[in-house]
Amino acid sequence: MTTSSTPRLYSTLTLSELDGVTGIAQPRATHHKLTLDSPAARLLTDFSTQRAQTTLTSNTISQALNTMKQAGVRLLMVMGPDGRFTGVINARELVGGRKITIAMQQHDVPREEVTVDMIQTPRAQLHSLPLAQLETARVGDLVETLKASGDQHLLITAPGEQGPIIRGLVSASDISRSLGIDLDHPPEARSFAAICQVILGHDL
């Protein structure tokens, strides 16, 4: 025996005039300037709340660069045709990096045919940190870690339904901005080790 559900009744909402409304809400300031003793988790770009910016292995480097510009990021997560994470590609590699020249020579293709797959940093060459460890660390621990590894980005992993997943990332540039250093000045601060030296006045 089937029963028919009673249709839900909806009401017309009462609208108001905007005359006299001149202000716009601003986001509350949730960030205070960080120090080396601040919780490291405050620097996490969390992919569970902020969608990861991705590109396909089959995309050309021009397509990947456009994605990066539109999203305002310096790193893209690379996805294979099966939807699996395969590696990363950063802005430095997309703007006339040495990898592009090598790919053109190895695959005998012009620049416009170089694909993301040819120049990505594969998953096996990347470093990661478990979220649980990040949650007990301090910003100074991240500085030490990135200085030792030389990485510009550190991927954060967490348990998923079918195994570990990339939960988010921490970038050296975010750490530097949070500590009050301008990455573009001085120009010699190109590596993270150099940035640390500028921030702290000495090597760690």
Side-chain angles (χ1 to χ4, degrees), residues 63-114:
Q63 290 173 318
L65 186 58
N66 286 336
T67 298
M68 200 172 280
K69 289 177 178 178
Q70 290 173 6
V73 297
R74 297 182 179 181
L75 183 86
L76 295 176
M77 314 295 285
V78 180
M79 310 300 289
D82 57 359
R84 294 175 180 266
F85 167 70
T86 65
V88 300
I89 190 167
N90 63 49
R92 198 166 50 246
E93 292 164 345
L94 287 175
V95 184
R98 187 171 59 92
K99 281 189 174 184
I100 295 177
T101 302
I102 294 174
M104 291 168 62
Q105 295 171 348
Q106 288 181 340
H107 299 274
D108 193 23
V109 294
R111 182 184 178 88
E112 59 269 19
E113 292 182 17
V114 174

Side-chain angles (χ1 to χ4, degrees), residues 10 22 24 75 97 122-123 125 129 135-136 156 158 163 203:
Y10 297 96
T22 59
I24 298 178
L75 183 86
R123 183 179 60 208
Q125 295 180 15
L129 183 73
E135 291 175 336
T136 62
I156 307 301
D203 287 329

Side-chain angles (χ1 to χ4, degrees), residues 37-151:
D37 291 326
S38 299
R42 287 173 60 181
L43 286 165
L44 174 67
T45 299
D46 191 342
F47 293 158
S48 70
T49 59
Q50 182 176 335
R51 187 176 182 85
Q53 298 299 323
T54 63
T55 187
L56 297 175
T57 52
S58 58
N59 283 348
T60 65
I61 57 174
S62 294
Q63 290 173 318
L65 186 58
N66 286 336
T67 298
M68 200 172 280
K69 289 177 178 178
Q70 290 173 6
V73 297
R74 297 182 179 181
L75 183 86
L76 295 176
M77 314 295 285
V78 180
M79 310 300 289
D82 57 359
R84 294 175 180 266
F85 167 70
T86 65
V88 300
I89 190 167
N90 63 49
R92 198 166 50 246
E93 292 164 345
L94 287 175
V95 184
R98 187 171 59 92
K99 281 189 174 184
I100 295 177
T101 302
I102 294 174
M104 291 168 62
Q105 295 171 348
Q106 288 181 340
H107 299 274
D108 193 23
V109 294
R111 182 184 178 88
E112 59 269 19
E113 292 182 17
V114 174
T115 65
V116 168
D117 188 44
M118 296 175 186
I119 68 168
Q120 69 169 323
T121 301
R123 183 179 60 208
Q125 295 180 15
L126 298 171
H127 297 115
S128 66
L129 183 73
L131 179 63
Q133 192 171 350
L134 179 74
E135 291 175 336
T136 62
R138 298 289 171 178
V139 172
D141 299 322
L142 288 179
V143 171
E144 285 276 10
T145 303
L146 288 172
K147 178 176 179 289
S149 69
D151 295 327

